[in-house]
Structures are given as C-alpha cells and as structure tokens.
Amino acid sequence: MRFNFQEPEETLEPRRSPTPKEPVRWVPLQSHPVFSSPPSSSQDEPAVSQRFPRNFMAWDGDSRLYYWDSTRYLLHRLSLRLGEPEPTSVLAAVPSKVMQPDLQLPFSVNKISINKSGSALLLAGSDGICVMYLFGRASVIQDNVVCRVVSIGSEIYSSGDSAIHLLQASWHPDSDTHLGILSSDAVFRLFDLSSDAEVPEQEYYLQPVEPGRSKTVSSIYPADFSFGGDHLWDRFTVFILFTDGSVYILCPVVPFGSIYKWESIMEIYNDANMFGVKSSNSVAVSNSSLAIDWLEAVFPDLTEQGTRGDNIVVVKAHPYALLDASLALQGPLYKASSGGGNEDLAVREAECKGRAVSLLYNIVSKDSILVTAWSGGQLQVDALVDEIQPVWISGSSSRLRMNSHNKIQGVAMICESNAGELPVATSNLPLDHTVWLGLPPPLLRLAMVDLALPTKREGGSLVTLFADSLLPERIYSLHDGGIDSTVLHSLPFTSQATGRDEALKTPSVHTVLSTCQEESAVSSLLGFVPLSDSFGYAWIIAVLSSGECVVAEMKTWDLLLPIHVSTDKIDSSSAIETKEKDPPCIISKELLAGPKVRIAPHALPNQRSTPANSVEGRSVLHNYVKLFHENYVEYAHKVFFELQHHAPNLKRIIDDQHQRLAEANEKMSKVEKNQSLLEKRIEKAIQRHDSLEQRLQRLRSLPGTHKKPLTRAEREFKSELDQFTGVEVDALQSSIETLRARVKKSAQKSPKSSSVFAGTQRKQYSKKNYIQDTGMSQLQSTLAKLSLMNSDNSKKVKIVESALKSQESSLI
C-alpha cells in the first residue's frame, strides 16, 4: 500500500512534455551518453564530507535508474530493459529524462536514495539533507523538469555555524514518508515528511555509558545505524553502531502512521501473552505487560478485533509513548558464551584495525545477520542468537509535543544503557531464564573477513555495505580499492531448518571490481547499485570517478550449491592415467613370440637314419610339410593381416613423431637464436647483483642500522597511540564542536524567549532563566573539562613521542 502526497506523473504529461523531441533509442547502459563525459574532480571537498558514504546512484526496484550529476546538480532518470536482447544484457533509453531542483542546494550532495514507492529521492551530505519529489514538478526549463525540493531539519543540520554533521540517513522500510537520520551529536531523529520536515517526529538522545565513566571517546561517538527487517520485533528495531565496534539496540521505534501486516502484529502479540505474562519471573511479567500495553495503544485493532471481524489485512500505527518511561539503549551486544559469563563484549577484536565505520542488518531465511565494517578493511559477521524484545527504563519520562486537539505530534527521550543492571546472557540457559528479562540478544561470531586493503591512507578506508536483494547471502562491500562480494555459505538457524547438520563454513570472498586505487583522500567510485529481475538474473552497476559505467553480471542460481564429487569422473581419469602409463600394443605378443609348435623332433643318438627315397622317409617329409603348413603358413597369414590392419595407426604414430621432431627442431633453433640474448641478460643480472651488494654494504655502514627492534610491549603501546590519534582525537574534536554549537544556539534563543514571556509571568521567567543559566554553566564547565582533557592528552602524546625519539637516539 502506497501513501503518496504528490501528483501522479500521468496527469501532468498532456500539459507540457519535458522529454526531448528526438526519438527514443536503446543502447547498452555502459555506452549511455550520460557516462561519456567525466565529472569534475572532487578533491576540493572538505575533509568532513569525505567521511560521509558517497553514492550517486539509486534504483527504484523496477525499471528506473537514477544518477546524480554532482557537477551540474542535475538528476538523470534512465529507463532500463533488463535481459534484452540477451538474458545477460542491460539496455537504457536515450535520451534520458533530466530533472533539476527548484532551489540551489546549500551543501554538497554525497548520497542519493529513493523511497519504497519511487516518488521521492533523498539528497544527503554531511552538512545538509533534503528530499526531491519526482512527480510534483513545477515547470520545465530547457527540457529539464524542475522538481520541488524540501529541506529536512535545516535549523539542526544546515545552519552556517552548526557543528552537527550527518553520519547516516536512510528511508524507513515500512514508510514512504519517514526518514531516519543519525548525526554527530549522538542523536537519532525520525522525520515525517507528510507533517513537518523541519521538526523531527521522534528524537532519541543516545547515552551508551553513564556520564563521566567512559574510558574512551570512541565508545560514545556513533558511526552508523541500520533498520531491522521483517521478523518479530526486528521490524521495530534500530541497530546503532559506535566507532569502538559496539552495537546497541533501540526497540520499539515505530513511525507514526506506518502500515504493518496484521499477521505480523498478532504473532508478536500472542508471543508476549504466551511466554511473558504466564512466566513465573516477575521481571518477565512486567516487561511483557509493558509490551502488551504498548502494542494495544499503538495498534488499537488488537482490542477491537471482535467488533471489526477477521477481515483485517493491515493495521496502522498510532502515535503513542509511555509517559513515565523511556526506551532503553540495549547493549552493547555480547558474544554468545557457554560458560559462566566471563566473555568479553562482541566489539573490537585483535584482528580488527582502526574504527568501525559501517553496519548492515540483513535477514536470511531464519537468521538475523549483523555485518560490521572496520576502517582497516575487516568485516565482522555475526548472527543474533536470541530474539529481540522491547525494554523500557522506568523513572525517565519522555517529552511529548501535542497539537491543539491533544494528540501526540512528536516525542523526545534520553535513551540510557542498562547493561550494568543485567547479567551476561549465555547460550546454555533454558528459555525461562532468558525470555522477556530485558537481556540484549547475544551474538554468534560467524566469520572474520579481511579484505586486504592498503594501509597507506591516514584514518583508514570508508567501507560501505550493501545487501543483494535477490541473494540475501551475498554482501557487497565498497571501498577505496573497488568492490568485493562476500557470500555466506552456512548459517546456524537456516541450516537447522533445512536439516543440514554440518560445521560452519567460511564465507567466500570474490573481487568484483578492482580500481587499483592508490593513496588518495577520495574514493574512485561515484556510485553503485545492484539490479535483479524476476527471472533470477542479477547485475551490478558501478560508476567510476572517470565517468565510466561498469555493468557486470552476477551468478545467483549455482552460487550456494554444494560441491559433489563424481566417482565416474574419478574412474575415467584413473583409466586415462593407466592408458598413459601402459600404452596399447600395436602387434600382439603372441605374434612377436612366433609359433609355439616344434616341428622337428629330438633325434636320439642311437637312432638309424631314414633315407628320403624310402617310403618311411617320404611319409616323414609329408608329415613335416603338413605341420609346417598348419603352423608357419597360418602364422604368416596372421602376421600379414596384423601388419595390414595396423598400417594406418603406425603411419599416424610416425607422422606424430615427425611433427614433434620438427617442433623440437624449431624450439632448438629459437633457443640457439636467443642464447646470445640470454647471455647478455645474465651478465646484466650479475652486474646488478654486484651493484646491489655494494649498495647493501654501504647501507650497513650507515649509523643507526644496528637499532634494536621494538619489543612486544612497545609495539602494543605504539598501536594504542595510533588508535588514540586516529579515533579518539577526531571524536573528541567533534564533541567539542557540538557542545560549542549548542552553547551558541542556547545563547541565541535565550533573549528571544525573554522578549516573548516578559511582562506576563515574571516568576516562571525567572525559573526558566535560572534553569537556562544552570544549563549554560554546565555546558561551559563540560566544555572546559573536555578542552583540558584534550590538552592533557596532547601533552602526553608529545611526551611519549619525545621519549621514543630520545630512546632511538640513545640506541644509535
């Protein structure tokens, strides 16, 4: 079901035609004129925007491909034909439809994304975000369709002195009008474009650790988020990744007015009534009762089922929030353990380098998969062992925004972590000890994938993750060196459901596209999108920084088939080997051995000789002739027949040997010709070897060559310093900038509020002014503490560097 508040495209076509007058022709997508001219270089972009994931391509899931021209700020819509004329080809219509925004964008666009219905396009950058409505055009200028553009949260993200930067923006999978935005001030906001694009509908202030107890700044600095999928409470869940690799959960988060299937809501409603309310644990009963109350308030059809009948297909979410409780920031997620709960968090591993930069949630049959990408080029693949359940923290009230009819228009709350109040979940506990107790679901480590990215770039690489819509086991990773494909061959719950009881197999990693990127601050990929059709064919479309479009077909149907070994092939190969070892005989061994019958008998020494003229002699000669004819003549006929039968085979063998001999003679002649060249190359190699030996001797005589290598403790300390300089300082600077922006905004708003309320309520104004002054003083003190901490940390780093330099000089 689609809810579009724009005009349909067909109603406006008779009024004016934005399409060029030249006839439409179909060409291969990689040969389209849109990709003929290379875009301008983006080296002049600010450093902050380069850390925002860049993708200038989007696909509506049907037949329209969108490409953003960052040079002219235009949007190209290309109509595609998938699988024509060949099943593996992709054709595009020429000319393409060109769209342009009706106002000048005040920020640099780094990412575009289209909603589920294909009616609105998201234009996002690190310094601003807006939405472009594709079917509500205003006019046509030089065959370009002018589309209406609406800014999102301009007072929060697009103000000139704002230090709040966008980290990630995404459409909600269950709504065409809701956008989720994660910013650098550790706030997740949900905007409803159908009501108000400037004020967020829902705000969640993330507080993963208690104030003053964070050991590192990266543990409170967010990196990415991902919405859940169509599975139980996962559809109401937001997964949030922090730069230290920890993953937290917000559940339930529901856009106001979104549509859900009635069967899905009834499934989680019955689960809460069956396993939660009837539990013997009071904590489980309390949590499940809150969840049931929330479900009945958000979906009133659950209580009105008897009056409306059984013909309900979908239900609409109503605005609701608990007054005396706020959502808990569940996490960080632990690794599943079978022991006594002494396992570490499922965060930074020894093989993970840099900081966490990207998160992807994907549902594959019965398994919920979380993939975390690190700036060092590692992929951390985990599966949720248990189901996600909603958790609230009592005593922390939410802040509601009401309209004139006393209906909820917006909600804001502080989401704190309750990890210190909960025990560690283990995998060997029964169901009654884990369900509805507020425990975050543990993670099962499936694999650690190393993409082997170059480590020359300072700050690591920005790895972006995409899931294949046709084959959910395949995950695409975009980075500075190109595109890689990772296929998961075995999953725990899916393997059990299909009856395959086998050990976990390592995923296969294939390089789809290699751009041979050298050390650079900007990725060589401008856009990427996976395509698929209803016949099971899949493609990937990528646009390079040179403007070249790459179309590659991806295998789908035989990618996950198990490898079977055929015994027939083994037998045939063994037979071939035996034939090669024992070649067939040209003439049989019996013929080569000669006749076996002995004609002349052994003569005795005392035997009398028989004359040939006598009758006895003639009979003996006759017998000898008869035996000779029976043996030697027949043997001669056999030999003649064998030689005549094998003559073609002998001729073929002789010709083959002559041909091989001729080839050998040609090779020998070539070797004789190249012998002089080989001798010269050998002489040059010997001279090069001698020069290298001399250079090595000179280098050995230089001072400082006998320096001792760093010990293990020194290497670990150096890695900690590198991590501190690469992650902690950036996060600390971003926090300081955010606090300064908040101080400026509060200072600007304070005189406005005093002018509005002056003269009416003096006492309330004094209380509010006191509260504002208190907040200002707290912010200033926090800012001063952060500045002192930053200066102390910089001093410590300088001291350590000077100590290392002095140690190196002493060793020299």
Short mmCIF file of all heavy atoms in Angstrom, two decimals, residues 276-332:
data_model
loop_
_atom_site.label_atom_id
_atom_site.label_comp_id
_atom_site.label_asym_id
_atom_site.label_seq_id
_atom_site.Cartn_x
_atom_site.Cartn_y
_atom_site.Cartn_z
N GLY A 276 5.43 -14.32 28.15
CA GLY A 276 5.76 -13.27 29.09
C GLY A 276 4.82 -13.18 30.27
O GLY A 276 5.24 -13.25 31.44
N VAL A 277 3.53 -13.04 30.01
CA VAL A 277 2.56 -12.86 31.09
C VAL A 277 2.45 -14.12 31.95
O VAL A 277 2.28 -14.04 33.18
CB VAL A 277 1.19 -12.47 30.49
CG1 VAL A 277 0.14 -12.33 31.59
CG2 VAL A 277 1.31 -11.18 29.71
N LYS A 278 2.57 -15.29 31.33
CA LYS A 278 2.43 -16.55 32.06
C LYS A 278 3.74 -17.02 32.68
O LYS A 278 3.80 -18.15 33.20
CB LYS A 278 1.90 -17.62 31.12
CG LYS A 278 0.51 -17.30 30.56
CD LYS A 278 0.05 -18.40 29.62
CE LYS A 278 -1.33 -18.06 29.04
NZ LYS A 278 -1.80 -19.11 28.11
N SER A 279 4.78 -16.20 32.63
CA SER A 279 6.06 -16.60 33.21
C SER A 279 6.03 -16.52 34.72
O SER A 279 5.26 -15.74 35.32
CB SER A 279 7.18 -15.71 32.65
OG SER A 279 8.41 -16.03 33.26
N SER A 280 6.87 -17.29 35.36
CA SER A 280 6.98 -17.27 36.82
C SER A 280 7.91 -16.17 37.33
O SER A 280 7.96 -15.92 38.53
CB SER A 280 7.50 -18.63 37.32
OG SER A 280 8.76 -18.92 36.74
N ASN A 281 8.62 -15.51 36.44
CA ASN A 281 9.54 -14.44 36.81
C ASN A 281 8.79 -13.11 36.78
O ASN A 281 8.13 -12.77 35.80
CB ASN A 281 10.72 -14.42 35.84
CG ASN A 281 11.88 -13.60 36.36
OD1 ASN A 281 11.68 -12.56 36.97
ND2 ASN A 281 13.10 -14.08 36.13
N SER A 282 8.91 -12.34 37.84
CA SER A 282 8.20 -11.07 37.92
C SER A 282 8.75 -10.05 36.93
O SER A 282 8.00 -9.22 36.39
CB SER A 282 8.30 -10.50 39.34
OG SER A 282 9.66 -10.30 39.70
N VAL A 283 10.06 -10.09 36.64
CA VAL A 283 10.65 -9.17 35.67
C VAL A 283 10.09 -9.45 34.28
O VAL A 283 9.76 -8.52 33.52
CB VAL A 283 12.18 -9.28 35.68
CG1 VAL A 283 12.79 -8.35 34.63
CG2 VAL A 283 12.72 -8.96 37.06
N ALA A 284 9.97 -10.72 33.93
CA ALA A 284 9.41 -11.08 32.63
C ALA A 284 7.95 -10.65 32.51
O ALA A 284 7.51 -10.17 31.46
CB ALA A 284 9.56 -12.58 32.38
N VAL A 285 7.20 -10.80 33.60
CA VAL A 285 5.79 -10.39 33.58
C VAL A 285 5.68 -8.88 33.41
O VAL A 285 4.84 -8.38 32.64
CB VAL A 285 5.09 -10.86 34.87
CG1 VAL A 285 3.68 -10.31 34.95
CG2 VAL A 285 5.06 -12.38 34.92
N SER A 286 6.52 -8.12 34.10
CA SER A 286 6.48 -6.66 34.00
C SER A 286 6.85 -6.19 32.59
O SER A 286 6.17 -5.35 32.00
CB SER A 286 7.42 -6.04 35.03
OG SER A 286 7.48 -4.65 34.89
N ASN A 287 7.94 -6.74 32.02
CA ASN A 287 8.36 -6.32 30.68
C ASN A 287 7.34 -6.70 29.63
O ASN A 287 7.03 -5.91 28.72
CB ASN A 287 9.71 -6.96 30.34
CG ASN A 287 10.85 -6.40 31.18
OD1 ASN A 287 10.78 -5.28 31.69
ND2 ASN A 287 11.91 -7.19 31.35
N SER A 288 6.79 -7.89 29.71
CA SER A 288 5.80 -8.31 28.72
C SER A 288 4.50 -7.51 28.87
O SER A 288 3.83 -7.21 27.86
CB SER A 288 5.52 -9.80 28.86
OG SER A 288 5.04 -10.11 30.15
N SER A 289 4.14 -7.12 30.09
CA SER A 289 2.93 -6.31 30.27
C SER A 289 3.10 -4.93 29.64
O SER A 289 2.18 -4.40 29.00
CB SER A 289 2.62 -6.17 31.76
OG SER A 289 2.39 -7.44 32.35
N LEU A 290 4.30 -4.33 29.79
CA LEU A 290 4.56 -3.05 29.13
C LEU A 290 4.50 -3.19 27.61
O LEU A 290 3.95 -2.32 26.91
CB LEU A 290 5.94 -2.51 29.55
CG LEU A 290 6.06 -1.94 30.96
CD1 LEU A 290 7.52 -1.57 31.24
CD2 LEU A 290 5.17 -0.72 31.13
N ALA A 291 5.03 -4.30 27.10
CA ALA A 291 4.99 -4.51 25.65
C ALA A 291 3.55 -4.69 25.15
O ALA A 291 3.18 -4.17 24.09
CB ALA A 291 5.84 -5.72 25.28
N ILE A 292 2.73 -5.41 25.92
CA ILE A 292 1.33 -5.62 25.51
C ILE A 292 0.57 -4.30 25.56
O ILE A 292 -0.22 -3.99 24.64
CB ILE A 292 0.69 -6.69 26.41
CG1 ILE A 292 1.32 -8.05 26.13
CG2 ILE A 292 -0.82 -6.74 26.21
CD1 ILE A 292 0.89 -9.13 27.10
N ASP A 293 0.80 -3.51 26.60
CA ASP A 293 0.13 -2.21 26.67
C ASP A 293 0.56 -1.31 25.50
O ASP A 293 -0.28 -0.59 24.92
CB ASP A 293 0.46 -1.53 28.00
CG ASP A 293 -0.11 -2.29 29.19
OD1 ASP A 293 -1.05 -3.09 28.97
OD2 ASP A 293 0.39 -2.11 30.32
N TRP A 294 1.83 -1.36 25.16
CA TRP A 294 2.31 -0.55 24.04
C TRP A 294 1.69 -1.01 22.73
O TRP A 294 1.26 -0.20 21.90
CB TRP A 294 3.83 -0.64 23.97
CG TRP A 294 4.44 0.19 22.89
CD1 TRP A 294 4.79 1.50 22.93
CD2 TRP A 294 4.75 -0.26 21.56
NE1 TRP A 294 5.31 1.90 21.73
CE2 TRP A 294 5.29 0.84 20.86
CE3 TRP A 294 4.63 -1.48 20.91
CZ2 TRP A 294 5.71 0.74 19.55
CZ3 TRP A 294 5.04 -1.58 19.60
CH2 TRP A 294 5.57 -0.47 18.92
N LEU A 295 1.61 -2.34 22.50
CA LEU A 295 1.01 -2.86 21.28
C LEU A 295 -0.46 -2.48 21.17
O LEU A 295 -0.95 -2.09 20.10
CB LEU A 295 1.17 -4.38 21.22
CG LEU A 295 2.57 -4.92 20.89
CD1 LEU A 295 2.61 -6.43 21.07
CD2 LEU A 295 2.98 -4.54 19.47
N GLU A 296 -1.20 -2.59 22.28
CA GLU A 296 -2.64 -2.26 22.24
C GLU A 296 -2.87 -0.77 22.05
O GLU A 296 -3.91 -0.38 21.48
CB GLU A 296 -3.29 -2.73 23.54
CG GLU A 296 -3.33 -4.25 23.68
CD GLU A 296 -3.92 -4.69 25.01
OE1 GLU A 296 -4.11 -3.80 25.88
OE2 GLU A 296 -4.18 -5.90 25.19
N ALA A 297 -1.93 0.08 22.50
CA ALA A 297 -2.09 1.52 22.31
C ALA A 297 -1.69 1.94 20.90
O ALA A 297 -2.32 2.81 20.30
CB ALA A 297 -1.26 2.28 23.35
N VAL A 298 -0.63 1.35 20.36
CA VAL A 298 -0.17 1.71 19.03
C VAL A 298 -1.07 1.10 17.96
O VAL A 298 -1.35 1.73 16.93
CB VAL A 298 1.30 1.27 18.83
CG1 VAL A 298 1.75 1.52 17.40
CG2 VAL A 298 2.21 2.02 19.79
N PHE A 299 -1.55 -0.11 18.19
CA PHE A 299 -2.43 -0.79 17.25
C PHE A 299 -3.75 -1.10 17.96
O PHE A 299 -3.93 -2.19 18.52
CB PHE A 299 -1.79 -2.09 16.74
CG PHE A 299 -0.44 -1.89 16.11
CD1 PHE A 299 0.72 -2.18 16.81
CD2 PHE A 299 -0.33 -1.38 14.83
CE1 PHE A 299 1.96 -2.01 16.23
CE2 PHE A 299 0.91 -1.20 14.24
CZ PHE A 299 2.06 -1.51 14.94
N PRO A 300 -4.68 -0.15 17.98
CA PRO A 300 -5.95 -0.37 18.69
C PRO A 300 -6.79 -1.50 18.11
O PRO A 300 -7.71 -1.98 18.78
CB PRO A 300 -6.67 0.98 18.53
CG PRO A 300 -5.61 1.96 18.17
CD PRO A 300 -4.60 1.20 17.41
N ASP A 301 -6.49 -1.95 16.91
CA ASP A 301 -7.25 -3.05 16.32
C ASP A 301 -7.09 -4.34 17.10
O ASP A 301 -7.90 -5.26 16.95
CB ASP A 301 -6.80 -3.27 14.87
CG ASP A 301 -7.05 -2.04 14.02
OD1 ASP A 301 -8.15 -1.47 14.12
OD2 ASP A 301 -6.15 -1.63 13.26
N LEU A 302 -6.04 -4.44 17.93
CA LEU A 302 -5.87 -5.65 18.73
C LEU A 302 -6.98 -5.81 19.75
O LEU A 302 -7.42 -6.93 20.03
CB LEU A 302 -4.50 -5.62 19.44
CG LEU A 302 -3.27 -5.71 18.53
CD1 LEU A 302 -2.00 -5.47 19.34
CD2 LEU A 302 -3.21 -7.07 17.85
N THR A 303 -7.45 -4.70 20.32
CA THR A 303 -8.55 -4.76 21.29
C THR A 303 -9.90 -4.70 20.62
O THR A 303 -10.91 -5.10 21.22
CB THR A 303 -8.42 -3.59 22.28
OG1 THR A 303 -8.41 -2.35 21.55
CG2 THR A 303 -7.14 -3.71 23.07
N GLU A 304 -9.97 -4.21 19.37
CA GLU A 304 -11.23 -4.10 18.65
C GLU A 304 -11.41 -5.21 17.63
O GLU A 304 -12.19 -5.08 16.68
CB GLU A 304 -11.31 -2.74 17.94
CG GLU A 304 -11.19 -1.55 18.88
CD GLU A 304 -11.08 -0.25 18.10
OE1 GLU A 304 -11.13 -0.32 16.85
OE2 GLU A 304 -10.96 0.81 18.74
N GLN A 305 -10.69 -6.31 17.81
CA GLN A 305 -10.75 -7.38 16.82
C GLN A 305 -12.13 -8.02 16.76
O GLN A 305 -12.62 -8.37 15.69
CB GLN A 305 -9.69 -8.45 17.16
CG GLN A 305 -9.63 -9.58 16.14
CD GLN A 305 -8.59 -10.61 16.52
OE1 GLN A 305 -7.94 -10.49 17.57
NE2 GLN A 305 -8.43 -11.62 15.69
N GLY A 306 -12.78 -8.14 17.91
CA GLY A 306 -14.11 -8.78 17.92
C GLY A 306 -15.16 -7.94 17.24
O GLY A 306 -16.10 -8.47 16.63
N THR A 307 -15.06 -6.61 17.30
CA THR A 307 -16.07 -5.75 16.68
C THR A 307 -15.83 -5.57 15.18
O THR A 307 -16.77 -5.39 14.42
CB THR A 307 -16.06 -4.37 17.36
OG1 THR A 307 -14.75 -3.79 17.21
CG2 THR A 307 -16.38 -4.51 18.83
N ARG A 308 -14.57 -5.66 14.73
CA ARG A 308 -14.27 -5.44 13.31
C ARG A 308 -14.28 -6.72 12.49
O ARG A 308 -14.29 -6.68 11.28
CB ARG A 308 -12.89 -4.77 13.18
CG ARG A 308 -12.84 -3.38 13.75
CD ARG A 308 -11.52 -2.73 13.45
NE ARG A 308 -11.26 -2.73 12.01
CZ ARG A 308 -10.16 -2.21 11.47
NH1 ARG A 308 -9.24 -1.68 12.25
NH2 ARG A 308 -9.98 -2.24 10.16
N GLY A 309 -14.25 -7.88 13.15
CA GLY A 309 -14.26 -9.13 12.41
C GLY A 309 -12.86 -9.60 12.10
O GLY A 309 -11.86 -9.05 12.57
N ASP A 310 -12.76 -10.64 11.29
CA ASP A 310 -11.48 -11.26 10.97
C ASP A 310 -10.98 -10.89 9.58
O ASP A 310 -10.16 -11.60 9.00
CB ASP A 310 -11.62 -12.79 11.05
CG ASP A 310 -11.96 -13.24 12.47
OD1 ASP A 310 -11.59 -12.52 13.40
OD2 ASP A 310 -12.59 -14.30 12.60
N ASN A 311 -11.46 -9.82 9.00
CA ASN A 311 -11.07 -9.42 7.65
C ASN A 311 -9.96 -8.37 7.66
O ASN A 311 -9.79 -7.65 6.68
CB ASN A 311 -12.28 -8.87 6.89
CG ASN A 311 -13.35 -9.92 6.69
OD1 ASN A 311 -13.03 -11.10 6.51
ND2 ASN A 311 -14.61 -9.51 6.73
N ILE A 312 -9.21 -8.26 8.74
CA ILE A 312 -8.14 -7.27 8.83
C ILE A 312 -6.91 -7.82 8.11
O ILE A 312 -6.47 -8.94 8.36
CB ILE A 312 -7.81 -6.95 10.29
CG1 ILE A 312 -9.06 -6.48 11.03
CG2 ILE A 312 -6.71 -5.90 10.38
CD1 ILE A 312 -8.83 -6.24 12.50
N VAL A 313 -6.35 -7.03 7.21
CA VAL A 313 -5.15 -7.42 6.48
C VAL A 313 -3.94 -6.62 6.96
O VAL A 313 -2.88 -7.19 7.22
CB VAL A 313 -5.35 -7.22 4.97
CG1 VAL A 313 -4.09 -7.62 4.21
CG2 VAL A 313 -6.54 -8.05 4.48
N VAL A 314 -4.09 -5.30 7.07
CA VAL A 314 -3.02 -4.44 7.55
C VAL A 314 -3.56 -3.53 8.64
O VAL A 314 -4.78 -3.30 8.75
CB VAL A 314 -2.42 -3.58 6.40
CG1 VAL A 314 -1.72 -4.45 5.39
CG2 VAL A 314 -3.50 -2.75 5.73
N VAL A 315 -2.67 -3.03 9.46
CA VAL A 315 -3.03 -2.12 10.54
C VAL A 315 -2.11 -0.92 10.49
O VAL A 315 -0.98 -0.99 9.98
CB VAL A 315 -2.93 -2.80 11.93
CG1 VAL A 315 -4.03 -3.82 12.11
CG2 VAL A 315 -1.56 -3.44 12.10
N LYS A 316 -2.60 0.20 11.02
CA LYS A 316 -1.87 1.46 11.01
C LYS A 316 -1.40 1.78 12.42
O LYS A 316 -2.14 1.62 13.39
CB LYS A 316 -2.78 2.58 10.48
CG LYS A 316 -2.11 3.93 10.38
CD LYS A 316 -3.07 4.96 9.81
CE LYS A 316 -2.42 6.32 9.68
NZ LYS A 316 -3.37 7.33 9.15
N ALA A 317 -0.13 2.23 12.52
CA ALA A 317 0.45 2.56 13.82
C ALA A 317 -0.02 3.95 14.25
O ALA A 317 0.07 4.91 13.48
CB ALA A 317 1.97 2.52 13.74
N HIS A 318 -0.52 4.06 15.49
CA HIS A 318 -0.98 5.32 16.05
C HIS A 318 0.10 5.93 16.93
O HIS A 318 0.90 5.20 17.54
CB HIS A 318 -2.27 5.11 16.86
CG HIS A 318 -3.45 4.74 16.01
ND1 HIS A 318 -4.46 5.61 15.70
CD2 HIS A 318 -3.78 3.58 15.39
CE1 HIS A 318 -5.36 5.03 14.95
NE2 HIS A 318 -4.96 3.76 14.75
N PRO A 319 0.14 7.25 17.05
CA PRO A 319 1.16 7.88 17.92
C PRO A 319 0.94 7.51 19.38
O PRO A 319 -0.18 7.59 19.90
CB PRO A 319 0.94 9.39 17.69
CG PRO A 319 0.21 9.47 16.39
CD PRO A 319 -0.64 8.25 16.29
N TYR A 320 2.01 7.09 20.02
CA TYR A 320 1.92 6.73 21.44
C TYR A 320 3.33 6.69 22.02
O TYR A 320 4.31 6.35 21.35
CB TYR A 320 1.25 5.37 21.61
CG TYR A 320 1.18 4.91 23.06
CD1 TYR A 320 0.29 5.50 23.95
CD2 TYR A 320 2.03 3.90 23.51
CE1 TYR A 320 0.24 5.08 25.27
CE2 TYR A 320 1.97 3.48 24.83
CZ TYR A 320 1.09 4.08 25.71
OH TYR A 320 1.04 3.67 27.02
N ALA A 321 3.42 7.04 23.31
CA ALA A 321 4.68 6.96 24.06
C ALA A 321 4.35 6.86 25.53
O ALA A 321 3.39 7.49 26.01
CB ALA A 321 5.58 8.16 23.78
N LEU A 322 5.12 6.07 26.26
CA LEU A 322 4.94 5.95 27.71
C LEU A 322 5.38 7.23 28.38
O LEU A 322 6.44 7.79 28.07
CB LEU A 322 5.74 4.76 28.23
CG LEU A 322 5.34 3.37 27.70
CD1 LEU A 322 6.26 2.31 28.26
CD2 LEU A 322 3.89 3.06 28.07
N LEU A 323 4.55 7.71 29.33
CA LEU A 323 4.86 8.98 29.99
C LEU A 323 5.93 8.83 31.06
O LEU A 323 6.76 9.72 31.25
CB LEU A 323 3.58 9.55 30.61
CG LEU A 323 2.46 9.92 29.61
CD1 LEU A 323 1.24 10.40 30.36
CD2 LEU A 323 2.94 10.97 28.63
N ASP A 324 5.91 7.73 31.79
CA ASP A 324 6.83 7.57 32.92
C ASP A 324 8.00 6.65 32.62
O ASP A 324 8.64 6.12 33.52
CB ASP A 324 6.06 7.02 34.14
CG ASP A 324 5.36 5.70 33.82
OD1 ASP A 324 5.25 5.36 32.61
OD2 ASP A 324 4.93 5.01 34.77
N ALA A 325 8.27 6.40 31.35
CA ALA A 325 9.38 5.52 30.98
C ALA A 325 9.91 5.93 29.61
O ALA A 325 9.22 6.55 28.81
CB ALA A 325 8.94 4.06 30.94
N SER A 326 11.16 5.59 29.37
CA SER A 326 11.81 5.86 28.09
C SER A 326 12.47 4.58 27.60
O SER A 326 12.72 3.65 28.38
CB SER A 326 12.84 6.98 28.22
OG SER A 326 13.86 6.61 29.14
N LEU A 327 12.77 4.54 26.33
CA LEU A 327 13.39 3.35 25.77
C LEU A 327 14.79 3.15 26.31
O LEU A 327 15.55 4.12 26.51
CB LEU A 327 13.46 3.45 24.25
CG LEU A 327 12.15 3.34 23.47
CD1 LEU A 327 12.43 3.38 21.97
CD2 LEU A 327 11.41 2.07 23.82
N ALA A 328 15.12 1.90 26.55
CA ALA A 328 16.47 1.56 26.98
C ALA A 328 17.37 1.35 25.77
O ALA A 328 16.94 0.78 24.76
CB ALA A 328 16.45 0.30 27.84
N LEU A 329 18.58 1.82 25.87
CA LEU A 329 19.58 1.58 24.83
C LEU A 329 20.23 0.23 25.14
O LEU A 329 21.18 0.13 25.90
CB LEU A 329 20.60 2.71 24.82
CG LEU A 329 21.60 2.71 23.66
CD1 LEU A 329 20.89 2.85 22.32
CD2 LEU A 329 22.61 3.84 23.84
N GLN A 330 19.66 -0.82 24.56
CA GLN A 330 20.09 -2.18 24.89
C GLN A 330 21.47 -2.45 24.29
O GLN A 330 21.69 -2.28 23.10
CB GLN A 330 19.09 -3.19 24.35
CG GLN A 330 17.67 -3.00 24.84
CD GLN A 330 16.74 -4.05 24.30
OE1 GLN A 330 17.04 -5.25 24.32
NE2 GLN A 330 15.61 -3.62 23.79
N GLY A 331 22.36 -2.91 25.13
CA GLY A 331 23.69 -3.25 24.66
C GLY A 331 24.77 -2.77 25.61
O GLY A 331 24.48 -2.30 26.72
N PRO A 332 26.00 -2.89 25.19
CA PRO A 332 26.42 -3.44 23.90
C PRO A 332 26.19 -4.94 23.80
O PRO A 332 26.17 -5.63 24.82
CB PRO A 332 27.91 -3.11 23.84
CG PRO A 332 28.34 -3.03 25.28
CD PRO A 332 27.16 -2.48 26.02
#
